[in-house]
């Protein structure tokens, strides 16, 4: 499994359970993207309203294409039911933004 490294930046709401967090990352072009979803979608450790934000989290993703000349990949978060607040599901990111843990 491959994860995109992101940051949970704030607790959004307690409802729906188990609670919503806002997560952000910058793509390979420094464009900021924002997601809001239930915290277990992004984190293996419990997040709460009292967590010390920002917290490093990950988004499970599929790699669609790889560009070895620029060390970038195009990823999709669609298979995992996510999309950004702007409705995007595909992003070009640097390879060092990905992890398998």
């Amino acid at each position: 499994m491959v994860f995109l490294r992101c940051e949970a930046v704030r607790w959004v709401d307690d409802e729906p359970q188990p609670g919503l967090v806002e997560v952000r990352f910058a793509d390979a072009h420094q464009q900021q993207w924002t997601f809001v979803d239930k915290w277990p979608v992004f984190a293996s450790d419990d997040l709460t309203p009292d967590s010390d934000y920002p917290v490093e989290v990950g988004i499970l993703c599929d790699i669609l294409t790889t560009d070895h000349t620029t060390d970038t990949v195009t990823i999709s978060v669609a298979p995992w039911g996510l999309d950004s607040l702007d409705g995007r599901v595909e992003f070009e990111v640097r390879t060092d933004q990905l992890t398998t843990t």
Side-chain angles (χ1 to χ4, degrees), residues 7-81:
E7 285 190 330
V9 295
R10 70 182 182 98
W11 186 263
V12 175
D13 201 340
D14 292 334
E15 296 295 331
Q17 288 293 318
L20 301 175
V21 293
E22 179 179 326
V23 170
R24 295 182 188 165
F25 78 94
D27 66 15
H29 308 286
Q30 299 307 309
Q31 169 73 41
Q32 288 284 327
W33 299 99
T34 304
F35 297 81
V36 173
D37 210 320
K38 295 177 182 177
W39 70 259
V41 171
F42 307 110
S44 58
D45 296 329
D46 287 354
L47 293 177
T48 69
D50 300 320
S51 294
D52 190 18
Y53 294 96
V55 176
E56 186 174 310
V57 296
I59 295 176
L60 195 56
C61 60
D62 286 340
I63 297 174
L64 303 177
T65 62
T66 302
D67 185 337
H68 295 289
T69 61
T70 61
D71 286 328
T72 60
V73 294
T74 301
I75 61 163
S76 174
V77 297
W80 312 109

